[in-house]
Amino acid sequence: MKYLIWLVVLLAVVVWFQRAKKSMLAGGEAARESDAERPKARQFRRSADGSAETMVQCAHCGIHFPISEAVTHASGAHYCSEEHRRLASF
């Protein structure tokens, strides 16, 4: 019985190492792929200088989104849509 437990533990360690190796290799390959070749889930918005884009929170509903998509009120508050900006001004 104790050999069966050791076999299961050894198998779990081998599977864990294989997954870690696969994720490391996939991370290196993803950096070399162009945006068109990447899956949709792996595409990140980048600002003009290449760094990650700043995220802001809608002052009306609380959702987070990229600042490039923000609708800004005269007071400086950020909104996710023109409708939320209009609703908040009442």
Side-chain angles (χ1 to χ4, degrees), residues 52-63:
E53 190 170 355
T54 303
M55 302 292 282
V56 293
Q57 185 176 13
C58 178
H60 181 73
C61 66
I63 192 171

Side-chain angles (χ1 to χ4, degrees), residues 5-72:
I5 293 172
W6 280 110
L7 181 65
V8 170
V9 169
L10 180 65
L11 182 63
V13 169
V14 169
V15 169
W16 181 77
F17 275 120
Q18 287 178 343
R19 287 186 179 185
K21 182 180 175 184
K22 185 178 179 181
S23 68
M24 286 179 23
L25 290 175
E29 291 171 1
R32 291 186 291 265
E33 292 177 352
S34 68
D35 285 340
E37 295 172 348
R38 287 187 192 172
K40 275 288 195 200
R42 301 196 97 184
Q43 290 183 2
F44 298 101
R45 293 186 184 271
R46 299 288 177 176
S47 62
D49 64 353
S51 62
E53 190 170 355
T54 303
M55 302 292 282
V56 293
Q57 185 176 13
C58 178
H60 181 73
C61 66
I63 192 171
H64 289 85
F65 55 95
I67 196 165
S68 64
E69 298 177 12
V71 178
T72 307

Side-chain angles (χ1 to χ4, degrees), residues 58 60 65 69-74 77-90:
C58 178
H60 181 73
F65 55 95
E69 298 177 12
V71 178
T72 307
H73 190 263
H78 298 288
Y79 297 95
C80 61
S81 66
E82 185 64 36
E83 182 178 357
H84 280 187
R85 186 198 60 79
R86 184 181 53 79
L87 289 172
S89 64
F90 289 118

